[in-house]
Amino acid sequence: MKVGFIGLGAMGSAMASNLVAAGHTVTVWNRSAAACEPLASLGARVASTPERAAQGEVLCSMLANDRAVREVILDSGLLDAMDRGTVHVNHATISVALAQELAAEHARRGLDYVAAPVFGRPDMAAAAKLNILAAGKPAAIERVRPLLEAMGSKVWPLGEAPERASVAKIAGNFMLASAIESMAEVTALTRAYGVSAADFLEVMTNTLFASPAYQGYGRLIAEQRFKPAGFSLPLGFKDVGLAQAAAESARVPLPFAGVLRDSLLEAMAAGDEDLDWSALSLVAAKRAHLDEREGH
Amino acid sequence: MKVGFIGLGAMGSAMASNLVAAGHTVTVWNRSAAACEPLASLGARVASTPERAAQGEVLCSMLANDRAVREVILDSGLLDAMDRGTVHVNHATISVALAQELAAEHARRGLDYVAAPVFGRPDMAAAAKLNILAAGKPAAIERVRPLLEAMGSKVWPLGEAPERASVAKIAGNFMLASAIESMAEVTALTRAYGVSAADFLEVMTNTLFASPAYQGYGRLIAEQRFKPAGFSLPLGFKDVGLAQAAAESARVPLPFAGVLRDSLLEAMAAGDEDLDWSALSLVAAKRAHLDEREGH
Amino acid sequence: MKVGFIGLGAMGSAMASNLVAAGHTVTVWNRSAAACEPLASLGARVASTPERAAQGEVLCSMLANDRAVREVILDSGLLDAMDRGTVHVNHATISVALAQELAAEHARRGLDYVAAPVFGRPDMAAAAKLNILAAGKPAAIERVRPLLEAMGSKVWPLGEAPERASVAKIAGNFMLASAIESMAEVTALTRAYGVSAADFLEVMTNTLFASPAYQGYGRLIAEQRFKPAGFSLPLGFKDVGLAQAAAESARVPLPFAGVLRDSLLEAMAAGDEDLDWSALSLVAAKRAHLDEREGH
Amino acid sequence: MKVGFIGLGAMGSAMASNLVAAGHTVTVWNRSAAACEPLASLGARVASTPERAAQGEVLCSMLANDRAVREVILDSGLLDAMDRGTVHVNHATISVALAQELAAEHARRGLDYVAAPVFGRPDMAAAAKLNILAAGKPAAIERVRPLLEAMGSKVWPLGEAPERASVAKIAGNFMLASAIESMAEVTALTRAYGVSAADFLEVMTNTLFASPAYQGYGRLIAEQRFKPAGFSLPLGFKDVGLAQAAAESARVPLPFAGVLRDSLLEAMAAGDEDLDWSALSLVAAKRAHLDEREGH
């Protein structure tokens, strides 16, 4: 297929590479052009503007946040430059409100829109093992399915309204944040009684909680290895904010969100903005003054 | 080995059965004698008093809570009736304070004490697949290891101080409660945008959260199947209370505990005391008035 | 003094009336012109555009929220139409971020800016008994002091940076929300033991909590009189949001905010958006299922 | 009247003194006898046992907490030593559960029981300006009214069931804790924008929150004067615990309680157990790392 790909951060680059590897004709664009070079060396064409990347049958985009999506997709006039019938597959984690706005703006122009946020870190993107949520018209999803399957191990259709995929992605990240905070709090408790985070989490993450989320973040907490950040505290704060915004619009109380918000803010107030969000465990330990007790 | 077993609820019966099946000479006692019969038919001896059950090399007990342990083990004079050198293996989920008191009372009488709370429901106990935490003197743990291995798939030693196993068990249950509340809140959110709990949790519990805890409770939430309770709301409330009590003694703030406590109380205020604690999802849905919106 | 006044809601009308009554030459403007008539009958001039209202020595404005301020003051070009040296006194409760932006936009054009949010409801505005916070250059505050004193019983200077008055107003409203939630929760508790909200609050609001805030909202809670709303639930939600936004920028955890946010959302999810925010007490009572117990 | 008085801490001594001053025949007892001397010098008789103090028409007691009341009143056999028809006026702040148990134990022996917890610190007790809650049989309350009026400025009858006075006292202390936490959080926020706690609280406690509770604790927060403690952090924690226990029995969610509990625990984890509970403001400031920012 003729595909454009906009947004070549760590995730986008890996995803676009897999499209090239699967034999698709891929044209890439990125705000800072340097990120295009590795793709070019794999065989991708490099577009000088987003409009040129959007001339294929499908445009995929993987931008950082609401602001970037708004600038590059909505405010730039890009949609007006696309041919009717083109499918835009948006992989970014964005707000429910923006997902709804994007759906309307595409529909108005006869463009198809598929919301397709992903679960997985860059290494999983590189291995084409992402889990890809997909919301949009069934026909549009079917049309882009070969692309999604080239980038992920599984596609999870969630219905037609694009905000469904957004809210599911946001909800999934909220579960991750809750899992981290939960481990942060209980390991503060076990440590206070002499059971290290490593010993306790070894039990739990090999039994009841033997899953990628708990094993991955449990290891970071056990080893207190918060740098380099796989997903930084401010990104976590942003995503809890997306959950709160979606909850506000739909009038859904989310009591855990208030706790998560404050724990993340407290971590950031300490100046730790570059740490992984599993550094929530530092906040829980500090509240209990554990380091002082343990003689650090 | 000659073993006594006190406390034949659903868990204790299954555990004692496995000791019999492994060829040990087991003498059982239970407050209401009827529960002894199935064990007797498997070959266990039935004691008329706890003291008689405690005449072997090892006494195992699986009682319901602090109160039952205090009555049957401490206030009854049972410890005074046991021979020096006997090992008492306590499988109950009890408070850290009682664990410490029990350790001291056993030590004073030359009895060995192993705190060995378990993770697993009755079906796992029947299949000898429990995960068994163990804290106590290494020699005592080694002595009873054949018994533990007859009842569980894995033994997790956590050091010498018995409260270490208590706090780990309590912390594990706190992680379960947090996982349930997390699923309850986010599925209220996704439902408000048209994504059913079943569809959303299918994604999450087959990917990042593919673990027994999330799959088991996720299924109950997706199917709204809260009866019969595997673990009832009041038991959940009791265990969150054990976490708060341990946290109070050790001065460890636990922000999630406050949320869990109130959600459980709200569920119980609705008169749902006989429901499984995954019925926390009813509370989250009610706060958002989801049933009214969805036209139920 | 020659004064313009923009924004004639219940508060603004009462405040502008007092300026007229004090002998100032007042020119008013309001989006819907009908609100100007009562002022005209008192002697105010009516401007056809905001620009014309802004031709005096001082412009006062009392607009509803950030959006209205942005539209009428910033996006309209109004500031460009004002003479250098004019003082703009902004009485609206706005975000800290907008307060900072406004200060910069005024400074760039040689205009003086005084942030002067007020405490008090329309009846206090009518009686010229508002408490008026004031942040801005001391000279500018002194220049407008006769106006402020015509509208309020007391002026509270808070320094030069305009966001100081904003944050103080937001913080004050946060204290009000917390006071209401506190009364909501404890009266749910006392009711469960047979002590009515009226009986309990009579004690507290005549002793330790004998203050306007507790007496006013305490009466509404005791009498369950939530309509017509003096300050509606959505306005309360907006103001808690302003506190959270200010807290986010400054990295200040606010644990009570999470609770307030969810209680307000829960009240709004019940469809009670037109009720006074003291209707938080309905939420607390509903969580405890008090009406069912009391046989309502 | 012939009155006994048990429990001569700072509060009890001041209260008993006022009974003597009002011309009653007062017999006092205290665990450590030294506290009886000042009363003796004012004209009180000193009893060598609680039983002897309980031989008058009325026995007043002002003991520290549930444990002390249980020991001195219930476990000691004191009630059996009292004449039928004697009224026991219990001024202690105790749990709802113990209030109910005491009522039953008195009734069983033909003794009258009046629960009469008080609001006010020692200086107000000395000035006979306490606010005294009263629950019990109307006739019994009337009988002891002269005593109550000698100790307080106002008596607030709350019905017959003694737990009503208990829950009202507990609820009142919960309002105090919430007021302190609310001031702690918002002054952290205003400080982050350059408005000192003193400047901000001067506005609020002279206007909307012009009440003894806010003015008293507001002053401590503004001046950071947490020593000597008028009411220490552990006492505050105990009282929040009484609210949670009452809420648990009656199934009433109390979201603010979870926040208060953790803030108090965090303050105590810092080793500040001897500080006044208004030191909650230190916790709020520490979470936001304010001292570091302000260059302390």
Side-chain angles (χ1 to χ4, degrees):
Chain A
M1 241 182 276
K2 255 188 90 185
V3 193
F5 203 108
I6 285 179
L8 299 173
M11 290 296 292
S13 294
M15 292 163 75
S17 300
N18 282 323
L19 292 181
V20 175
H24 297 288
T25 305
V26 181
T27 306
V28 300
W29 179 84
N30 192 61
R31 190 185 299 263
S32 83
C36 297
E37 285 168 31
L39 268 297
S41 73
L42 293 174
R45 300 170 191 194
V46 177
S48 56
T49 65
E51 287 76 12
R52 297 199 175 219
Q55 299 314 316
E57 301 153 70
V58 177
L59 172 67
C60 297
S61 64
M62 184 48 151
L63 296 158
N65 50 33
D66 273 31
R67 196 169 49 73
V69 170
R70 187 170 291 286
E71 282 176 19
V72 176
I73 309 288
L74 283 181
D75 296 348
S76 64
L78 174 62
L79 296 187
D80 297 320
M82 287 168 68
D83 291 338
R84 291 181 74 85
T86 309
V87 190
H88 175 201
V89 184
N90 184 352
H91 296 293
T93 299
I94 56 170
S95 69
V96 162
L98 182 56
Q100 291 168 328
E101 183 180 345
L102 283 166
E105 293 296 326
H106 284 75
R108 243 175 10 104
R109 293 173 173 85
L111 302 168
D112 272 318
Y113 182 67
V114 174
V118 305
F119 286 113
R121 296 193 164 201
D123 57 336
M124 294 180 72
K129 290 195 170 156
L130 297 173
N131 280 284
I132 306 183
L133 309 175
K137 290 209 190 99
I141 295 178
E142 281 321 301
R143 233 174 109 197
V144 302
R145 185 179 279 278
L147 304 176
L148 302 180
E149 288 177 346
M151 295 185 285
S153 57
K154 178 129 182 151
V155 177
W156 302 88
L158 286 168
E160 210 155 308
E163 67 268 25
R164 291 186 175 199
S166 272
V167 79
K169 167 64 181 171
I170 290 167
N173 280 12
F174 190 85
M175 285 176 67
L176 287 173
S178 299
I180 292 170
E181 173 69 16
S182 161
M183 287 191 279
E185 294 187 14
V186 294
T187 54
L189 181 60
T190 64
R191 276 176 64 188
Y193 286 96
V195 180
S196 72
D199 284 352
F200 173 67
L201 291 175
E202 198 204 344
V203 180
M204 302 313 296
T205 62
N206 283 295
T207 58
L208 286 164
F209 293 90
S211 71
Y214 280 84
Q215 289 173 339
Y217 287 113
R219 198 171 308 119
L220 300 184
I221 290 172
E223 301 174 0
Q224 303 219 34
R225 188 156 43 82
F226 307 123
K227 246 191 224 179
F231 193 72
S232 71
L233 288 161
L235 290 177
F237 188 84
K238 187 203 66 163
D239 278 7
V240 170
L242 290 178
Q244 290 190 301
E248 175 181 342
S249 297
R251 307 276 185 253
V252 178
L254 285 185
F256 269 9
V259 173
L260 294 172
R261 188 185 160 87
D262 279 331
S263 293
L264 289 160
L265 262 187
E266 188 169 346
M268 294 192 286
D272 290 341
E273 309 227 342
D274 56 333
L275 300 190
D276 189 81
W277 64 340
S278 50
L280 283 175
S281 70
L282 295 178
V283 173
K286 192 159 26 174
R287 285 178 183 146
H289 291 257
L290 289 182
D291 284 349
E292 297 158 32
R293 299 188 205 186
E294 294 172 359
H296 298 258
Chain B
M1 238 183 278
K2 257 188 87 187
V3 193
F5 202 108
I6 285 178
L8 299 173
M11 290 296 292
S13 294
M15 293 163 74
S17 301
N18 282 322
L19 292 181
V20 175
H24 297 288
T25 305
V26 181
T27 306
V28 299
W29 178 85
N30 192 60
R31 190 184 299 261
S32 80
C36 297
E37 285 168 33
L39 268 297
S41 73
L42 293 173
R45 300 169 191 194
V46 176
S48 56
T49 65
E51 286 76 14
R52 294 198 179 221
Q55 300 312 317
E57 302 152 70
V58 176
L59 172 67
C60 296
S61 64
M62 183 48 150
L63 297 158
N65 50 33
D66 273 32
R67 196 171 48 75
V69 171
R70 186 171 291 285
E71 281 176 20
V72 176
I73 310 289
L74 284 181
D75 295 349
S76 63
L78 175 62
L79 297 187
D80 297 320
M82 286 168 67
D83 291 337
R84 292 181 72 86
T86 309
V87 189
H88 175 201
V89 183
N90 185 350
H91 296 293
T93 299
I94 56 169
S95 69
V96 161
L98 182 55
Q100 292 169 327
E101 184 181 346
L102 282 165
E105 292 297 324
H106 283 77
R108 241 171 18 98
R109 291 170 175 87
L111 302 168
D112 273 317
Y113 182 67
V114 174
V118 305
F119 285 112
R121 294 190 165 204
D123 57 335
M124 294 180 73
K129 289 193 170 160
L130 297 174
N131 279 284
I132 307 182
L133 309 175
K137 289 208 190 103
I141 294 177
E142 281 321 300
R143 234 173 108 196
V144 301
R145 184 178 280 277
L147 304 176
L148 301 180
E149 288 177 347
M151 296 184 286
S153 57
K154 177 125 182 157
V155 178
W156 302 89
L158 285 169
E160 210 154 308
E163 68 267 26
R164 290 186 174 201
S166 272
V167 79
K169 167 66 181 167
I170 290 167
N173 280 12
F174 190 86
M175 284 176 68
L176 286 173
S178 299
I180 292 171
E181 172 70 17
S182 161
M183 286 191 280
E185 294 187 14
V186 294
T187 55
L189 181 61
T190 64
R191 278 177 62 189
Y193 286 96
V195 179
S196 71
D199 284 352
F200 172 68
L201 290 175
E202 198 204 344
V203 180
M204 302 314 296
T205 63
N206 283 296
T207 58
L208 286 165
F209 293 89
S211 71
Y214 280 84
Q215 289 173 340
Y217 287 114
R219 197 171 307 119
L220 300 183
I221 290 172
E223 301 174 3
Q224 303 220 36
R225 187 157 45 81
F226 307 123
K227 246 191 225 181
F231 193 71
S232 71
L233 287 159
L235 289 177
F237 188 84
K238 187 203 67 162
D239 278 8
V240 170
L242 291 178
Q244 289 190 300
E248 175 181 342
S249 297
R251 306 274 186 257
V252 179
L254 285 185
F256 268 8
V259 173
L260 295 172
R261 188 185 159 87
D262 279 330
S263 293
L264 289 160
L265 262 186
E266 188 169 346
M268 293 192 286
D272 291 340
E273 309 226 342
D274 56 333
L275 300 190
D276 189 81
W277 64 341
S278 49
L280 283 175
S281 69
L282 295 178
V283 174
K286 193 160 23 173
R287 285 178 184 146
H289 292 257
L290 289 182
D291 284 349
E292 298 158 32
R293 298 189 205 186
E294 294 172 359
H296 298 260
Chain C
M1 241 184 277
K2 256 188 88 187
V3 192
F5 203 108
I6 285 178
L8 300 173
M11 291 296 292
S13 294
M15 292 163 75
S17 300
N18 283 322
L19 292 181
V20 175
H24 297 287
T25 306
V26 181
T27 306
V28 299
W29 178 87
N30 193 59
R31 189 185 301 263
S32 81
C36 297
E37 285 167 31
L39 269 297
S41 73
L42 292 174
R45 301 171 189 191
V46 176
S48 56
T49 65
E51 286 75 13
R52 295 196 178 222
Q55 299 313 316
E57 301 153 71
V58 177
L59 171 68
C60 296
S61 64
M62 183 49 151
L63 296 158
N65 50 33
D66 273 32
R67 197 171 47 74
V69 171
R70 187 171 291 286
E71 281 176 21
V72 176
I73 309 288
L74 284 181
D75 295 348
S76 63
L78 175 62
L79 297 187
D80 296 320
M82 287 168 68
D83 291 338
R84 292 181 73 86
T86 309
V87 189
H88 175 201
V89 184
N90 185 352
H91 297 292
T93 299
I94 56 169
S95 69
V96 161
L98 182 55
Q100 293 168 327
E101 185 181 344
L102 282 166
E105 292 298 325
H106 284 75
R108 240 172 18 97
R109 292 171 174 86
L111 302 168
D112 271 318
Y113 182 68
V114 174
V118 304
F119 286 112
R121 294 192 166 203
D123 57 335
M124 294 180 73
K129 289 194 170 156
L130 297 173
N131 279 283
I132 307 183
L133 309 176
K137 289 209 192 99
I141 294 177
E142 281 321 301
R143 234 174 107 197
V144 301
R145 183 179 280 276
L147 304 175
L148 302 181
E149 288 177 346
M151 296 185 285
S153 57
K154 177 127 182 154
V155 178
W156 301 89
L158 285 169
E160 209 155 310
E163 68 267 25
R164 289 187 175 201
S166 273
V167 79
K169 167 66 181 169
I170 290 168
N173 280 12
F174 190 86
M175 284 176 68
L176 286 173
S178 299
I180 293 171
E181 172 70 17
S182 162
M183 286 191 280
E185 294 187 15
V186 294
T187 55
L189 181 61
T190 64
R191 277 177 64 188
Y193 285 95
V195 180
S196 72
D199 285 352
F200 172 68
L201 291 176
E202 198 204 343
V203 181
M204 303 314 296
T205 62
N206 283 295
T207 58
L208 285 165
F209 294 89
S211 72
Y214 280 84
Q215 288 174 338
Y217 287 115
R219 198 171 308 119
L220 301 183
I221 290 172
E223 301 174 2
Q224 302 220 38
R225 187 156 44 81
F226 307 124
K227 245 190 224 180
F231 194 72
S232 70
L233 287 160
L235 289 177
F237 188 84
K238 187 205 68 165
D239 278 7
V240 170
L242 291 179
Q244 289 190 301
E248 175 181 342
S249 297
R251 307 275 186 256
V252 178
L254 285 185
F256 268 9
V259 173
L260 294 171
R261 188 185 161 87
D262 279 331
S263 293
L264 289 160
L265 262 186
E266 188 168 347
M268 294 191 286
D272 291 340
E273 309 228 342
D274 56 333
L275 300 190
D276 189 81
W277 64 340
S278 50
L280 283 176
S281 70
L282 295 179
V283 174
K286 192 158 25 174
R287 285 178 183 146
H289 291 256
L290 290 182
D291 284 348
E292 298 157 35
R293 298 189 206 187
E294 294 172 359
H296 298 258
Chain D
M1 242 183 277
K2 254 189 89 186
V3 193
F5 203 107
I6 286 179
L8 299 172
M11 290 296 292
S13 293
M15 293 163 74
S17 300
N18 283 323
L19 292 180
V20 174
H24 298 287
T25 306
V26 182
T27 306
V28 300
W29 179 85
N30 192 61
R31 190 185 300 263
S32 83
C36 297
E37 285 168 32
L39 268 296
S41 73
L42 293 175
R45 299 169 191 195
V46 177
S48 56
T49 66
E51 287 76 12
R52 296 198 177 221
Q55 298 313 315
E57 302 153 71
V58 177
L59 172 67
C60 296
S61 64
M62 184 48 152
L63 296 158
N65 50 33
D66 272 32
R67 196 170 49 73
V69 170
R70 188 171 291 286
E71 282 176 21
V72 176
I73 309 288
L74 283 181
D75 296 349
S76 63
L78 174 62
L79 297 187
D80 297 320
M82 286 167 68
D83 291 338
R84 291 181 73 85
T86 309
V87 190
H88 175 201
V89 184
N90 185 352
H91 297 292
T93 299
I94 57 170
S95 69
V96 162
L98 182 55
Q100 292 169 326
E101 184 181 346
L102 283 166
E105 293 297 326
H106 283 76
R108 241 171 17 99
R109 291 172 175 86
L111 302 167
D112 273 318
Y113 182 67
V114 174
V118 305
F119 285 113
R121 296 192 164 202
D123 57 336
M124 294 179 72
K129 290 196 171 156
L130 297 173
N131 279 285
I132 307 183
L133 309 175
K137 290 210 190 100
I141 294 178
E142 281 321 300
R143 232 174 111 196
V144 301
R145 183 179 280 277
L147 303 176
L148 301 181
E149 288 177 346
M151 295 185 285
S153 57
K154 177 126 181 152
V155 178
W156 302 89
L158 285 168
E160 210 155 308
E163 67 268 26
R164 290 185 175 202
S166 272
V167 80
K169 167 65 181 170
I170 290 168
N173 280 11
F174 190 86
M175 285 176 66
L176 286 174
S178 298
I180 293 170
E181 173 70 16
S182 161
M183 287 191 278
E185 294 188 15
V186 294
T187 53
L189 181 61
T190 64
R191 276 177 64 189
Y193 286 96
V195 180
S196 72
D199 284 351
F200 172 68
L201 290 175
E202 198 205 344
V203 180
M204 303 313 297
T205 63
N206 282 297
T207 58
L208 287 165
F209 293 90
S211 72
Y214 280 84
Q215 289 173 339
Y217 287 114
R219 197 171 309 119
L220 301 184
I221 290 172
E223 301 174 2
Q224 303 220 35
R225 189 156 44 82
F226 307 122
K227 244 191 225 180
F231 194 72
S232 70
L233 287 161
L235 289 177
F237 187 84
K238 187 204 67 163
D239 278 7
V240 170
L242 291 179
Q244 289 190 301
E248 174 181 343
S249 297
R251 306 276 185 256
V252 178
L254 285 184
F256 268 9
V259 173
L260 294 172
R261 188 185 160 88
D262 279 331
S263 293
L264 289 160
L265 263 187
E266 188 169 345
M268 293 192 286
D272 290 340
E273 308 226 342
D274 55 334
L275 299 190
D276 189 80
W277 64 340
S278 50
L280 283 175
S281 70
L282 295 178
V283 173
K286 192 159 26 174
R287 285 179 183 144
H289 291 258
L290 289 182
D291 284 349
E292 297 157 32
R293 299 188 204 185
E294 295 172 359
H296 298 258

